[in-house]
Each structure stands twice: as C-alpha cells, then as structure tokens.
Amino acid sequence: MTLLEKKIVRVARAWIGTPYRHQASVKGQGCDCLGLLRGVWREVIGDEPEAVPVYTADWSEMGRKERLWVAAARNMKAVEFDAARAGQVVLFRMRAGHVAKHLGILARSAAGFETVIHAYTGRGVIETPLTDAWKRKIVAQFQFPQKGK
C-alpha cells in the first residue's frame, strides 16, 4: 500500500461512527456515502474537485443516468477490480436494473481480510467485511489522484 492509500484508509476510519445524514459531509456530525468520500477527499487531497448538485434521497430512482459513476470517472482514475487495493473507491449497484448509487472505500482488517468503509442508511459510517455479496454489487473502482496534502 502506498503512503497515500494508507492515509486515505486512516482518514476514512476516523469517520467511523459519524451518523448517516443525507447530503451532509461533516465528520462526527453526519454524512451519506458521497459525503464520506467528499470529506476524505478534503482531508487528503484538498478542495473538492467540483460542486455537488442538490440531490434527493431517491435521486437514483428517477431515470437511468449514471451520474455518480460519471462524476467519479471525471475526478478519479478507473482501475480494474482485480487490482483492488486498500484506499481505493468502489461503486456499488445496489439493485439490478437501477443506477449505481453507493460508494465505499476499500480497507483491510488487522486479520488481513478485505473490508469497506461506507456510510450506510440507518447505521452511519461503518467498516464491514467485503463479502461476496458486496463484491457482486461492485460495478466500478477508482483511485484518488496521486497528489495529496
């Protein structure tokens, strides 16, 4: 793992316990999955690369535009899942036939198994094992820009 990837994981883990709050991005106060990624970006990279438009909780239910995927591809480098590394961002499609709408940051437990740090509705920011069920939902994977604070 590179120093940048280690920092991304360390910063993301510092968000664990932050309550789930739609559209928020404040460590310890509230965030959604995009807010977690935005907060980690600010702490590790610097200013956010673009303004995030207002979005409703059901934004992904209206239409078929892969807005989250397109925005991620605009601001990060796409990587193959076979090259999975802690500190990379994964994009999940939660339901077949729907747009991809959930983000997380890959990590690795002390025991060596893959995990994902993500903000989950009703749970807040948590770190969970990256089980086969979660892996099947991954549709894209990205790495942060190689510059950092």
PDB file of all heavy atoms in Angstrom, residues 87-107:
ATOM      1  N   GLY A  87      -7.723   1.754   0.145  1.00  0.00           N
ATOM      2  CA  GLY A  87      -7.631   3.172  -0.187  1.00  0.00           C
ATOM      3  C   GLY A  87      -8.321   3.521  -1.489  1.00  0.00           C
ATOM      4  O   GLY A  87      -8.469   4.695  -1.816  1.00  0.00           O
ATOM      5  N   GLN A  88      -8.757   2.516  -2.231  1.00  0.00           N
ATOM      6  CA  GLN A  88      -9.479   2.787  -3.475  1.00  0.00           C
ATOM      7  C   GLN A  88     -10.976   2.892  -3.199  1.00  0.00           C
ATOM      8  O   GLN A  88     -11.482   2.404  -2.189  1.00  0.00           O
ATOM      9  CB  GLN A  88      -9.192   1.693  -4.505  1.00  0.00           C
ATOM     10  CG  GLN A  88      -7.755   1.723  -4.972  1.00  0.00           C
ATOM     11  CD  GLN A  88      -7.429   0.634  -5.972  1.00  0.00           C
ATOM     12  OE1 GLN A  88      -8.128  -0.358  -6.087  1.00  0.00           O
ATOM     13  NE2 GLN A  88      -6.331   0.830  -6.700  1.00  0.00           N
ATOM     14  N   VAL A  89     -11.662   3.539  -4.123  1.00  0.00           N
ATOM     15  CA  VAL A  89     -13.099   3.779  -4.010  1.00  0.00           C
ATOM     16  C   VAL A  89     -13.842   2.743  -4.843  1.00  0.00           C
ATOM     17  O   VAL A  89     -13.469   2.491  -5.995  1.00  0.00           O
ATOM     18  CB  VAL A  89     -13.450   5.203  -4.504  1.00  0.00           C
ATOM     19  CG1 VAL A  89     -14.956   5.433  -4.498  1.00  0.00           C
ATOM     20  CG2 VAL A  89     -12.732   6.247  -3.656  1.00  0.00           C
ATOM     21  N   VAL A  90     -14.870   2.153  -4.271  1.00  0.00           N
ATOM     22  CA  VAL A  90     -15.711   1.217  -5.019  1.00  0.00           C
ATOM     23  C   VAL A  90     -17.110   1.802  -5.155  1.00  0.00           C
ATOM     24  O   VAL A  90     -17.611   2.477  -4.254  1.00  0.00           O
ATOM     25  CB  VAL A  90     -15.769  -0.183  -4.357  1.00  0.00           C
ATOM     26  CG1 VAL A  90     -14.497  -0.960  -4.614  1.00  0.00           C
ATOM     27  CG2 VAL A  90     -16.037  -0.100  -2.870  1.00  0.00           C
ATOM     28  N   LEU A  91     -17.701   1.551  -6.317  1.00  0.00           N
ATOM     29  CA  LEU A  91     -19.060   1.999  -6.629  1.00  0.00           C
ATOM     30  C   LEU A  91     -19.933   0.762  -6.726  1.00  0.00           C
ATOM     31  O   LEU A  91     -19.593  -0.190  -7.447  1.00  0.00           O
ATOM     32  CB  LEU A  91     -19.059   2.778  -7.945  1.00  0.00           C
ATOM     33  CG  LEU A  91     -20.408   3.246  -8.474  1.00  0.00           C
ATOM     34  CD1 LEU A  91     -21.056   4.250  -7.526  1.00  0.00           C
ATOM     35  CD2 LEU A  91     -20.233   3.880  -9.863  1.00  0.00           C
ATOM     36  N   PHE A  92     -21.037   0.777  -6.003  1.00  0.00           N
ATOM     37  CA  PHE A  92     -21.935  -0.373  -5.937  1.00  0.00           C
ATOM     38  C   PHE A  92     -23.262  -0.091  -6.641  1.00  0.00           C
ATOM     39  O   PHE A  92     -23.816   0.996  -6.523  1.00  0.00           O
ATOM     40  CB  PHE A  92     -22.277  -0.701  -4.471  1.00  0.00           C
ATOM     41  CG  PHE A  92     -21.107  -1.074  -3.618  1.00  0.00           C
ATOM     42  CD1 PHE A  92     -20.504  -0.126  -2.799  1.00  0.00           C
ATOM     43  CD2 PHE A  92     -20.626  -2.374  -3.600  1.00  0.00           C
ATOM     44  CE1 PHE A  92     -19.443  -0.468  -1.976  1.00  0.00           C
ATOM     45  CE2 PHE A  92     -19.560  -2.724  -2.779  1.00  0.00           C
ATOM     46  CZ  PHE A  92     -18.968  -1.767  -1.970  1.00  0.00           C
ATOM     47  N   ARG A  93     -23.769  -1.109  -7.344  1.00  0.00           N
ATOM     48  CA  ARG A  93     -25.140  -1.094  -7.857  1.00  0.00           C
ATOM     49  C   ARG A  93     -25.940  -1.932  -6.861  1.00  0.00           C
ATOM     50  O   ARG A  93     -25.744  -3.136  -6.764  1.00  0.00           O
ATOM     51  CB  ARG A  93     -25.204  -1.697  -9.261  1.00  0.00           C
ATOM     52  CG  ARG A  93     -26.599  -1.609  -9.874  1.00  0.00           C
ATOM     53  CD  ARG A  93     -26.682  -2.218 -11.271  1.00  0.00           C
ATOM     54  NE  ARG A  93     -25.591  -1.878 -12.178  1.00  0.00           N
ATOM     55  CZ  ARG A  93     -25.451  -0.724 -12.825  1.00  0.00           C
ATOM     56  NH1 ARG A  93     -26.347   0.240 -12.646  1.00  0.00           N
ATOM     57  NH2 ARG A  93     -24.430  -0.523 -13.638  1.00  0.00           N
ATOM     58  N   MET A  94     -26.801  -1.281  -6.126  1.00  0.00           N
ATOM     59  CA  MET A  94     -27.496  -1.963  -5.038  1.00  0.00           C
ATOM     60  C   MET A  94     -28.617  -2.881  -5.526  1.00  0.00           C
ATOM     61  O   MET A  94     -28.946  -3.852  -4.855  1.00  0.00           O
ATOM     62  CB  MET A  94     -28.039  -0.942  -4.036  1.00  0.00           C
ATOM     63  CG  MET A  94     -26.939  -0.061  -3.427  1.00  0.00           C
ATOM     64  SD  MET A  94     -25.611  -0.989  -2.647  1.00  0.00           S
ATOM     65  CE  MET A  94     -26.436  -1.531  -1.162  1.00  0.00           C
ATOM     66  N   ARG A  95     -29.208  -2.553  -6.685  1.00  0.00           N
ATOM     67  CA  ARG A  95     -30.290  -3.385  -7.240  1.00  0.00           C
ATOM     68  C   ARG A  95     -30.109  -3.501  -8.746  1.00  0.00           C
ATOM     69  O   ARG A  95     -29.853  -2.506  -9.426  1.00  0.00           O
ATOM     70  CB  ARG A  95     -31.650  -2.764  -6.935  1.00  0.00           C
ATOM     71  CG  ARG A  95     -31.991  -2.791  -5.458  1.00  0.00           C
ATOM     72  CD  ARG A  95     -33.275  -2.098  -5.115  1.00  0.00           C
ATOM     73  NE  ARG A  95     -34.373  -2.503  -5.953  1.00  0.00           N
ATOM     74  CZ  ARG A  95     -35.517  -1.844  -6.041  1.00  0.00           C
ATOM     75  NH1 ARG A  95     -35.704  -0.747  -5.344  1.00  0.00           N
ATOM     76  NH2 ARG A  95     -36.481  -2.268  -6.820  1.00  0.00           N
ATOM     77  N   ALA A  96     -30.273  -4.702  -9.263  1.00  0.00           N
ATOM     78  CA  ALA A  96     -30.175  -4.924 -10.710  1.00  0.00           C
ATOM     79  C   ALA A  96     -31.182  -4.039 -11.430  1.00  0.00           C
ATOM     80  O   ALA A  96     -32.307  -3.836 -10.952  1.00  0.00           O
ATOM     81  CB  ALA A  96     -30.445  -6.395 -11.034  1.00  0.00           C
ATOM     82  N   GLY A  97     -30.781  -3.471 -12.536  1.00  0.00           N
ATOM     83  CA  GLY A  97     -31.669  -2.631 -13.315  1.00  0.00           C
ATOM     84  C   GLY A  97     -31.747  -1.191 -12.844  1.00  0.00           C
ATOM     85  O   GLY A  97     -32.466  -0.383 -13.433  1.00  0.00           O
ATOM     86  N   HIS A  98     -31.036  -0.855 -11.778  1.00  0.00           N
ATOM     87  CA  HIS A  98     -31.023   0.506 -11.245  1.00  0.00           C
ATOM     88  C   HIS A  98     -29.625   1.084 -11.420  1.00  0.00           C
ATOM     89  O   HIS A  98     -28.662   0.365 -11.638  1.00  0.00           O
ATOM     90  CB  HIS A  98     -31.419   0.515  -9.763  1.00  0.00           C
ATOM     91  CG  HIS A  98     -32.852   0.177  -9.536  1.00  0.00           C
ATOM     92  ND1 HIS A  98     -33.805   1.125  -9.272  1.00  0.00           N
ATOM     93  CD2 HIS A  98     -33.508  -1.005  -9.560  1.00  0.00           C
ATOM     94  CE1 HIS A  98     -34.973   0.544  -9.137  1.00  0.00           C
ATOM     95  NE2 HIS A  98     -34.819  -0.757  -9.305  1.00  0.00           N
ATOM     96  N   VAL A  99     -29.518   2.392 -11.268  1.00  0.00           N
ATOM     97  CA  VAL A  99     -28.201   3.017 -11.390  1.00  0.00           C
ATOM     98  C   VAL A  99     -27.354   2.694 -10.153  1.00  0.00           C
ATOM     99  O   VAL A  99     -27.874   2.376  -9.088  1.00  0.00           O
ATOM    100  CB  VAL A  99     -28.309   4.557 -11.574  1.00  0.00           C
ATOM    101  CG1 VAL A  99     -29.077   4.893 -12.838  1.00  0.00           C
ATOM    102  CG2 VAL A  99     -28.897   5.239 -10.369  1.00  0.00           C
ATOM    103  N   ALA A 100     -26.047   2.786 -10.346  1.00  0.00           N
ATOM    104  CA  ALA A 100     -25.113   2.590  -9.230  1.00  0.00           C
ATOM    105  C   ALA A 100     -25.218   3.813  -8.322  1.00  0.00           C
ATOM    106  O   ALA A 100     -25.124   4.939  -8.792  1.00  0.00           O
ATOM    107  CB  ALA A 100     -23.696   2.433  -9.765  1.00  0.00           C
ATOM    108  N   LYS A 101     -25.435   3.578  -7.018  1.00  0.00           N
ATOM    109  CA  LYS A 101     -25.709   4.716  -6.141  1.00  0.00           C
ATOM    110  C   LYS A 101     -25.038   4.660  -4.768  1.00  0.00           C
ATOM    111  O   LYS A 101     -25.352   5.455  -3.904  1.00  0.00           O
ATOM    112  CB  LYS A 101     -27.209   4.879  -5.958  1.00  0.00           C
ATOM    113  CG  LYS A 101     -27.874   3.748  -5.185  1.00  0.00           C
ATOM    114  CD  LYS A 101     -29.334   4.070  -4.975  1.00  0.00           C
ATOM    115  CE  LYS A 101     -29.987   3.134  -4.005  1.00  0.00           C
ATOM    116  NZ  LYS A 101     -31.358   3.533  -3.723  1.00  0.00           N
ATOM    117  N   HIS A 102     -24.118   3.752  -4.572  1.00  0.00           N
ATOM    118  CA  HIS A 102     -23.485   3.644  -3.258  1.00  0.00           C
ATOM    119  C   HIS A 102     -21.970   3.582  -3.428  1.00  0.00           C
ATOM    120  O   HIS A 102     -21.468   2.910  -4.335  1.00  0.00           O
ATOM    121  CB  HIS A 102     -23.988   2.394  -2.530  1.00  0.00           C
ATOM    122  CG  HIS A 102     -23.543   2.308  -1.107  1.00  0.00           C
ATOM    123  ND1 HIS A 102     -23.851   3.257  -0.158  1.00  0.00           N
ATOM    124  CD2 HIS A 102     -22.774   1.382  -0.473  1.00  0.00           C
ATOM    125  CE1 HIS A 102     -23.308   2.913   1.004  1.00  0.00           C
ATOM    126  NE2 HIS A 102     -22.647   1.785   0.835  1.00  0.00           N
ATOM    127  N   LEU A 103     -21.250   4.287  -2.561  1.00  0.00           N
ATOM    128  CA  LEU A 103     -19.792   4.367  -2.609  1.00  0.00           C
ATOM    129  C   LEU A 103     -19.187   3.885  -1.302  1.00  0.00           C
ATOM    130  O   LEU A 103     -19.800   4.040  -0.242  1.00  0.00           O
ATOM    131  CB  LEU A 103     -19.347   5.820  -2.807  1.00  0.00           C
ATOM    132  CG  LEU A 103     -19.709   6.504  -4.106  1.00  0.00           C
ATOM    133  CD1 LEU A 103     -19.574   8.016  -3.953  1.00  0.00           C
ATOM    134  CD2 LEU A 103     -18.822   6.000  -5.217  1.00  0.00           C
ATOM    135  N   GLY A 104     -17.989   3.361  -1.384  1.00  0.00           N
ATOM    136  CA  GLY A 104     -17.244   2.997  -0.196  1.00  0.00           C
ATOM    137  C   GLY A 104     -15.760   3.067  -0.480  1.00  0.00           C
ATOM    138  O   GLY A 104     -15.337   3.194  -1.632  1.00  0.00           O
ATOM    139  N   ILE A 105     -14.970   2.968   0.565  1.00  0.00           N
ATOM    140  CA  ILE A 105     -13.512   2.990   0.452  1.00  0.00           C
ATOM    141  C   ILE A 105     -12.984   1.650   0.948  1.00  0.00           C
ATOM    142  O   ILE A 105     -13.303   1.221   2.066  1.00  0.00           O
ATOM    143  CB  ILE A 105     -12.911   4.155   1.267  1.00  0.00           C
ATOM    144  CG1 ILE A 105     -13.404   5.492   0.679  1.00  0.00           C
ATOM    145  CG2 ILE A 105     -11.381   4.074   1.283  1.00  0.00           C
ATOM    146  CD1 ILE A 105     -13.018   6.719   1.479  1.00  0.00           C
ATOM    147  N   LEU A 106     -12.204   0.988   0.105  1.00  0.00           N
ATOM    148  CA  LEU A 106     -11.648  -0.308   0.476  1.00  0.00           C
ATOM    149  C   LEU A 106     -10.621  -0.164   1.584  1.00  0.00           C
ATOM    150  O   LEU A 106      -9.891   0.818   1.645  1.00  0.00           O
ATOM    151  CB  LEU A 106     -10.984  -0.966  -0.735  1.00  0.00           C
ATOM    152  CG  LEU A 106     -11.901  -1.417  -1.858  1.00  0.00           C
ATOM    153  CD1 LEU A 106     -11.071  -1.975  -3.007  1.00  0.00           C
ATOM    154  CD2 LEU A 106     -12.900  -2.448  -1.374  1.00  0.00           C
ATOM    155  N   ALA A 107     -10.579  -1.181   2.435  1.00  0.00           N
ATOM    156  CA  ALA A 107      -9.592  -1.232   3.516  1.00  0.00           C
ATOM    157  C   ALA A 107      -9.233  -2.698   3.727  1.00  0.00           C
ATOM    158  O   ALA A 107      -9.660  -3.569   2.967  1.00  0.00           O
ATOM    159  CB  ALA A 107     -10.149  -0.602   4.788  1.00  0.00           C
TER     160      ALA A 107
END
